[in-house]
C-alpha cells in the first residue's frame, strides 16, 4: 500500500506548504517554551515550559516514532533553526570524515551524558536547568548550520538521533524508492536536489535506502523525483529489524544502553530510591550524589550490556558466531522492548501528570488551579497499560530475535530460546519496576 | 577555511564550557555557615545551595559543646516562618510546627530541609536538647527568588550572535571569491 497513491496526500506532500505548515507553529511554541523555561516561573509545577517539554513532548515522542517514524525530525524546531541559519549565513562545508565515522558514537555519548546530567543537576525538575539545556542545543545547532551543509546536526550530532533512528527501525511507516524505476534513473534529484527543492537533508539516497533510521519524511525526495518513484507505506511494526544486512555495534550498544537508562529512570522515581541511596552512601562512605548516582547509572547500564554479551557467548555454542557478532546482530532485537519500556515509562508522565500541561497553560492567563489533580487516570490503570505495553514489546523482541536467528546460520531453536530468555528477563525487570509506586516529576 | 572552522569550534567549546561549568557548580554545597552560641553550645547552620532560594532547601546543622566536642542525639528541630515585618510580639500566636532533623553520617551533624514558599526575610526557629535541657535559638535569613539567570542568557546570546556574524562574513567572502573566479574565467 502506497500512501502517495492517494491524490490529496500526495498533493499535500508535494505542495510548498509541507512541512512548513507544521514547522512554523511548532517553532513559535518552542520559542515560547525557551522563554518560559529561562524567564518564567522558577518552580517546575508552575512552568508551562517544563510541562510542555517533559510531560507532553518527551512523553509522546516515542509514540510518534512508532506511528510516524522520524516525522518529528522534519518539523523539529532545531531542524527549522538549522535550515534558517543555513539559508542566510550557511557556509555549506561538507561533513567531516570523523563525523561520518564516529557520529553515532557522539550521539550515544551525548545521550548518556544528558541523561546523567539530568539526574545530577536536576535538569528536568528545574525550569532554568531545562532552559540552559535548550540554549546549549540551540547554540550547537546554530554552529552546525553555520558551518556544515544540509542537516549535519540532525544526522550526526543530535543526541536524540540514535534513539529516534532505533525506534523508527521498529516503526510503522517507511519511505522507499521503487527499485525498477530508480535503477534507470540518472538524475538522482532525490539526493542532489533541484533548483526549487534541496536534496535529502539527512544525506539519504532513496534509490539504495534499506532502512528508515535516518529518513525524516520531509518530502524533499517526493517533490524532486521526476519519475514518481517514491513510495510511503505503512508496515508491520519491527519488520525492518527482521533482516538486518549490515548490523552496526553502535546501534546495538545504544539499544541495550537505553534499556539500562529506562531502568535508571524508573529506579530514581521509585519511593524505594531514597533507602537505596542511603545504603549506597553507607557502602561508598560518601554522601556525594555525584558518586552514588554515577555508580547506580553505570551499574544500570553495564548490567544489560553484560547480559547481552553473556547471551551472545552462550549463543555462540548454537550458531558458532563470536560474542561481538552476536552482540552486534541481536542487539537489534532489544529495540522493540526498549521502545515499549520507554513508552510505558513515559505513559506515567503523560497520564499521571498530563493535566499539568493544561494547568500551566491556564496559569499563563492568571487562572490558578492549585490542588487540582494532574492525572487523567488512576495509577492502577496506568500500571495495567504499562504491563500490556511491556508484554507487547517482549513479544516483538522475541519475534525479531527469532527472525534474525532464522536469517543467520546455526541452531534456530537454540538461538531463539536463548534470546527469548534474555528478553523475558528484561521484561520481568521492567514489570517489577513498574509495579512499584513512583513519585511524580511535576 | 579550516582556520575559520577551527575558530568557530573554539568559540563554541569555550563558550559552552564556561556555561557548563556554571551549571555544574550551581548545586555544589558551599560553606555558607551561620553560627550562633547558646549557653556555650555552638550551632552552625549551613544550606546546601550557595543562595537560599524559594522552595525546598536542604540544610545541615552542626552542634559542638564548649570543649568543641560534637553533640550527638540532640533531637534537633526547626521551624521556618515568613517575616512579613508586622510586629506580633503582643499577639498570642500558635506554636509553630517543627520538623525534626535526622542525624547525619558524622557525630553532631543533623540534616533536613526547609520549605520557603516565598522570597524575602524568613525567621528560623531552632530547638535542640542537650543533657535533658531544651535550648532555643533563632536565625534570620533572606530567601531569594529563583529568577532568570541573565548572565547565562546573555552569554548564550553573545555566542550565538558571534557565530552568526562570523558565519555571515565568511559566507560573504567566499561568495565574492567565487564571483571573482567566475569573472576571471569569463
Amino acid at each position: 500500500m502506497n500512501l502517495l497513491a492517494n491524490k490529496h496526500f500526495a498533493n499535500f506532500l508535494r505542495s510548498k506548504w509541507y512541512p512548513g505548515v507544521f514547522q512554523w507553529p511548532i517553532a513559535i511554541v518552542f520559542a515560547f517554551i525557551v522563554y518560559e523555561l529561562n524567564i518564567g516561573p522558577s518552580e517546575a509545577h508552575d512552568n508551562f515550559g517544563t510541562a510542555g517539554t517533559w510531560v507532553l513532548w518527551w512523553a509522546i515522542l516515542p509514540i510518534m516514532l512508532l506511528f510516524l517514524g522520524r516525522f518529528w525530525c522534519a518539523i523539529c524546531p532545531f531542524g527549522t533553526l538549522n535550515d534558517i541559519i543555513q539559508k542566510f549565513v550557511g557556509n555549506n562545508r561538507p561533513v567531516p570524515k570523523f563525523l561520518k565515522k564516529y557520529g553515532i558514537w557522539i550521539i550515544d555519548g551525548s545521550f548518556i551524558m544528558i541523561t546523567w546530567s539530568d539526574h545530577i543537576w536536576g535538569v528536568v525538575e528545574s525550569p532554568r536547568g531545562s532552559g540552559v539545556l535548550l540554549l546549549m542545543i540551540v547554540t550547537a545547532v546554530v554552529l552546525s548550520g553555520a558551518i556544515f551543509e544540509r542537516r549535519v546536526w540532525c544526522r550526526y550530532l543530535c543526541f536524540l538521533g540514535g534513539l529516534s533512528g532505533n525506534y523508527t527501525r521498529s516503526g510503522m511507516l517507511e519511505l522507499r524508492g521503487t527499485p525498477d524505476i530508480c535503477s534507470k534513473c540518472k538524475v538522482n534529484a532525490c539526493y542532489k536536489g533541484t533548483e526549487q527543492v534541496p536534496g535529502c537533508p539527512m544525506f539519504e539516497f532513496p534509490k539504495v535506502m534499506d532502512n528508515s533510521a535516518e529518513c525524516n519524511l520531509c518530502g524533499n525526495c517526493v517533490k524532486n523525483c521526476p519519475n514518481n518513484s517514491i513510495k510511503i507505506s505503512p508496515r508491520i511494526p519491527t519488520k525492518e529489524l527482521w533482516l538486518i544486512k549490515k548490523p552496526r555495534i553502535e546501534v546495538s550498544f545504544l539499544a541495550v544502553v537505553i534499556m539500562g537508562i529506562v531502568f535508571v529512570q524508573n529506579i530514581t522515581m521509585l519511593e524505594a530510591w531514597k533507602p537505596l541511596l542511603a545504603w549506597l552512601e553507607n557502602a561508598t562512605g560518601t554522601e556525594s550524589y555525584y558518586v552514588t548516582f554515577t555508580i547506580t547509572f553505570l551499574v544500570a547500564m553495564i548490567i544489560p550490556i553484560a547480559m547481552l554479551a553473556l547471551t551472545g557467548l552462550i549463543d555462540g555454542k548454537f550458531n558458532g558466531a563470536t560474542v561481538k557478532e552476536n552482540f552486534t546482530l541481536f542487539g537489534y532485537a532489544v529495540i522493540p522492548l526498549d521502545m515499549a519500556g520507554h513508552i510505558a515509562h513515559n505513559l506515567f508522565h503523560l497520564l499521571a501528570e498530563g493535566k499539568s500541561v493544561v494547568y500551566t497553560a491556564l496559569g499563563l492567563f492568571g487562572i490558578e488551579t492549585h490542588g487540582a489533580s494532574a492525572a487523567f487516570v488512576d495509577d492502577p490503570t496506568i500500571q495495567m497499560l504499562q504491563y500490556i505495553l511491556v508484554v507487547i514489546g517482549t513479544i516483538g523482541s522475541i519475534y525479531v530475535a527469532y527472525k534474525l536467528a532464522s536469517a543467520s546460520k546455526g541452531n534456530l531453536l537454540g538461538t531463539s530460546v536463548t534470546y527469548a530468555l534474555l528478553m523475558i528477563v528484561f521484561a520481568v525487570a521492567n514489570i517489577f519496576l513498574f509495579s512499584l509506586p513512583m513519585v511524580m516529576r511535576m | 577555511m579550516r582556520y575559520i572552522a577551527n575558530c568557530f569550534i573554539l568559540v563554541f567549546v569555550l563558550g559552552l564550557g564556561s556555561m557548563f561549568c556554571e551549571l555544574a557548580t550551581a548545586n555544589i554545597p558551599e560553606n555558607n555557615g551561620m553560627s550562633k552560641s547558646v549557653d556555650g553550645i555552638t550551632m552552625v547552620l549551613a544550606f546546601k545551595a550557595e543562595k537560599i532560594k524559594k522552595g525546598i532547601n536542604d540544610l545541615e546543622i552542626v552542634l559542638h559543646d564548649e570543649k568543641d566536642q560534637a553533640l550527638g542525639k540532640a533531637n534537633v528541630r526547626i521551624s521556618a516562618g515568613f517575616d512579613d515585618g508586622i510586629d506580633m510580639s503582643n499577639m498570642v500566636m500558635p506554636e509553630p510546627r517543627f520538623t525534626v532533623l535526622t542525624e547525619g553520617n558524622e557525630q553532631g551533624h543533623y540534616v533536613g530541609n526547609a520549605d520557603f514558599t516565598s522570597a524575602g526575610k524568613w525567621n528560623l526557629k531552632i530547638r535542640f536538647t542537650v543533657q535533658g535541657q531544651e535550648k532555643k535559638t533563632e536565625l534570620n535569613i533572606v530567601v531569594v527568588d529563583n529568577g532568570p539567570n541573565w548572565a547565562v542568557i546573555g552569554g548564550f546570546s553573545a555566542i550565538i550572535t558571534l557565530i552568526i556574524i562570523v558565519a555571515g562574513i565568511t559566507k560573504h567572502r567566499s561568495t565574492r571569491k567565487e564571483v571573482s573566479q567566475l569573472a576571471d574565467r569569463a
Side-chain angles (χ1 to χ4, degrees):
Chain A
M1 182 182 161
N2 178 12
L3 297 178
L4 288 172
N6 181 302
K7 204 172 76 179
H8 299 294
F9 182 70
N11 286 343
F12 175 61
L13 232 65
R14 289 193 179 102
S15 78
K16 64 178 180 181
W17 301 105
Y18 179 82
V21 70
F22 299 107
Q23 282 177 319
W24 287 104
I26 285 172
I28 291 165
V29 173
F30 171 75
F32 182 69
I33 280 177
V34 173
Y35 169 85
E36 265 286 285
L37 290 171
N38 283 293
I39 296 167
S42 59
E43 300 298 318
H45 57 80
D46 295 329
N47 194 297
F48 174 73
T50 303
T53 307
W54 301 118
V55 175
L56 184 64
W57 168 78
W58 182 238
I60 61 170
L61 181 67
I63 301 170
M64 282 178 67
L65 292 167
L66 171 65
F67 287 102
L68 301 173
R70 286 184 73 167
F71 169 67
W72 167 259
C73 300
I75 60 171
C76 168
F78 293 117
T80 309
L81 177 66
N82 179 88
D83 297 348
I84 295 167
I85 292 291
Q86 210 163 57
K87 185 177 177 182
F88 291 104
V89 295
N91 284 262
N92 289 312
R93 307 299 303 160
V95 192
K97 279 181 187 165
F98 80 92
L99 273 188
K100 283 184 185 170
K101 198 171 178 186
Y102 301 112
I104 188 75
W105 284 111
I106 296 171
I107 286 171
D108 288 4
S110 56
F111 183 71
I112 291 167
M113 276 303 297
I114 286 175
T115 314
W116 176 83
S117 60
D118 166 33
H119 285 274
I120 292 293
W121 296 310
V123 173
V124 171
E125 282 82 8
S126 156
R128 302 289 177 258
S130 303
V132 169
L133 176 67
L134 291 191
L135 287 176
M136 287 170 87
I137 299 172
V138 164
T139 311
V141 170
V142 169
L143 183 76
S144 173
I147 300 177
F148 301 117
E149 61 177 337
R150 308 195 190 203
R151 285 197 182 180
V152 164
W153 168 262
C154 308
R155 170 77 196 243
Y156 296 105
L157 293 166
C158 173
F159 73 102
L160 285 176
L163 176 144
S164 304
N166 273 9
Y167 290 180
T168 300
R169 288 173 203 274
S170 205
M172 295 171 67
L173 210 56
E174 70 174 20
L175 180 147
R176 296 284 187 275
T178 310
D180 292 345
I181 299 173
C182 290
S183 62
K184 292 168 194 152
C185 177
K186 300 270 189 285
V187 186
N188 299 334
C190 52
Y191 181 79
K192 291 179 182 169
T194 56
E195 280 188 16
Q196 289 78 34
V197 181
C200 177
M202 300 294 279
F203 303 89
E204 284 292 293
F205 192 13
K207 187 175 180 172
V208 292
M209 209 167 87
D210 63 353
N211 69 72
S212 302
E214 310 298 345
C215 174
N216 65 8
L217 300 163
C218 67
N220 283 7
C221 57
V222 178
K223 288 170 185 165
N224 283 328
C225 180
N227 308 312
N228 211 14
S229 167
I230 307 295
K231 287 179 184 173
I232 297 177
S233 317
R235 65 182 181 190
I236 300 166
T238 75
K239 193 177 177 183
E240 190 175 305
L241 301 169
W242 298 352
L243 189 68
I244 299 291
K245 287 178 188 165
K246 290 178 189 167
R248 297 174 68 184
I249 192 166
E250 53 270 39
V251 173
S252 291
F253 176 80
L254 183 67
V256 78
V257 159
I258 288 173
M259 181 63 65
I261 287 176
V262 172
F263 286 160
V264 165
Q265 297 287 10
N266 285 333
I267 288 166
T268 54
M269 283 177 65
L270 296 177
E271 288 171 2
W273 170 235
K274 281 192 176 173
L276 180 65
L277 201 59
W279 177 83
L280 264 172
E281 284 172 356
N282 275 334
T284 55
T286 174
E287 285 182 12
S288 168
Y289 192 68
Y290 286 71
V291 177
T292 51
F293 176 74
T294 305
I295 291 169
T296 313
F297 192 66
L298 288 174
V299 169
M301 281 194 299
I302 288 168
I303 288 174
I305 293 171
M307 286 173 73
L308 183 63
L310 183 67
T311 313
L313 182 70
I314 296 165
D315 186 41
K317 310 282 180 202
F318 298 112
N319 66 6
T322 64
V323 175
K324 190 181 172 187
E325 283 167 347
N326 277 332
F327 186 98
T328 307
L329 181 64
F330 289 96
Y332 284 78
V334 181
I335 293 173
L337 186 53
D338 261 351
M339 185 156 65
H342 196 165
I343 294 174
H345 171 85
N346 285 0
L347 211 60
F348 176 77
H349 296 301
L350 194 64
L351 298 181
E353 305 174 287
K355 284 185 188 171
S356 62
V357 180
V358 180
Y359 296 157
T360 51
L362 290 173
L364 297 171
F365 301 99
I367 303 166
E368 299 291 335
T369 49
H370 286 303
S373 167
F376 283 111
V377 292
D378 58 8
D379 283 358
T381 310
I382 297 171
Q383 274 179 326
M384 190 49 67
L385 290 170
Q386 287 174 325
Y387 299 154
I388 292 169
L389 278 168
V390 172
V391 169
I392 292 171
T394 310
I395 293 167
S397 281
I398 291 172
Y399 191 68
V400 170
Y402 164 76
K403 293 295 277 186
L404 289 172
S406 308
S408 52
K409 298 177 291 181
N411 183 331
L412 173 63
L413 184 67
T415 299
S416 303
V417 170
T418 312
Y419 284 100
L421 287 173
L422 176 71
M423 300 309 162
I424 289 167
V425 171
F426 284 154
V428 168
N430 267 296
I431 286 174
F432 172 70
L433 290 173
F434 287 130
S435 72
L436 300 172
M438 285 188 175
V439 292
M440 293 203 190
R441 178 178 278 166
M442 292 290 289
Chain B
M1 190 56 79
R2 177 170 284 182
Y3 172 75
I4 291 164
N6 287 341
C7 285
F8 266 131
I9 291 162
L10 186 67
V11 168
F12 178 69
V13 170
L14 288 176
L16 281 197
S18 60
M19 299 298 167
F20 203 65
C21 285
E22 175 151 346
L23 188 68
T25 53
N27 287 335
I28 290 178
E30 295 238 338
N31 190 13
N32 57 348
M34 292 169 273
S35 68
K36 211 149 192 194
S37 193
V38 190
D39 299 336
I41 294 162
T42 310
M43 182 216 69
V44 179
L45 167 71
F47 282 88
K48 191 178 178 186
E50 187 183 356
K51 287 178 181 173
I52 310 162
K53 291 174 181 170
K54 199 176 127 182
I56 295 171
N57 287 255
D58 290 330
L59 57 86
E60 183 182 61
I61 285 176
V62 184
L63 295 176
H64 285 99
D65 65 12
E66 293 159 313
K67 294 170 189 167
D68 206 25
Q69 296 289 310
L71 286 172
K73 295 179 181 158
N75 187 28
V76 182
R77 292 155 293 146
I78 60 158
S79 170
F82 186 64
D83 183 358
D84 50 13
I86 301 168
D87 182 12
M88 288 188 275
S89 55
N90 295 328
M91 293 166 72
V92 178
M93 298 297 291
E95 180 68 9
R97 279 182 62 187
F98 280 85
T99 308
V100 180
L101 302 192
T102 52
E103 287 199 52
N105 283 347
E106 290 177 59
Q107 171 95 348
H109 287 241
Y110 301 86
V111 291
N113 58 54
D115 187 6
F116 304 111
T117 50
S118 56
K121 287 180 185 172
W122 281 73
N123 177 257
L124 271 183
K125 292 182 179 7
I126 299 146
R127 306 269 191 274
F128 53 91
T129 310
V130 179
Q131 291 173 343
Q133 284 191 318
E134 188 180 63
K135 311 285 181 191
K136 298 178 182 180
T137 186
E138 292 184 16
L139 277 169
N140 291 320
I141 55 164
V142 176
V143 174
V144 296
D145 194 6
N146 195 6
N149 192 335
W150 293 110
V152 171
I153 296 167
F156 275 110
S157 304
I159 295 172
I160 291 168
T161 309
L162 188 66
I163 293 169
I164 292 171
I165 291 170
V166 176
I169 293 168
T170 321
K171 185 179 183 178
H172 183 66
R173 275 187 194 161
S174 61
T175 311
R176 273 177 53 186
K177 202 174 168 185
E178 277 172 26
V179 170
S180 66
Q181 279 174 347
L182 281 172
D184 289 346
R185 274 182 217 157

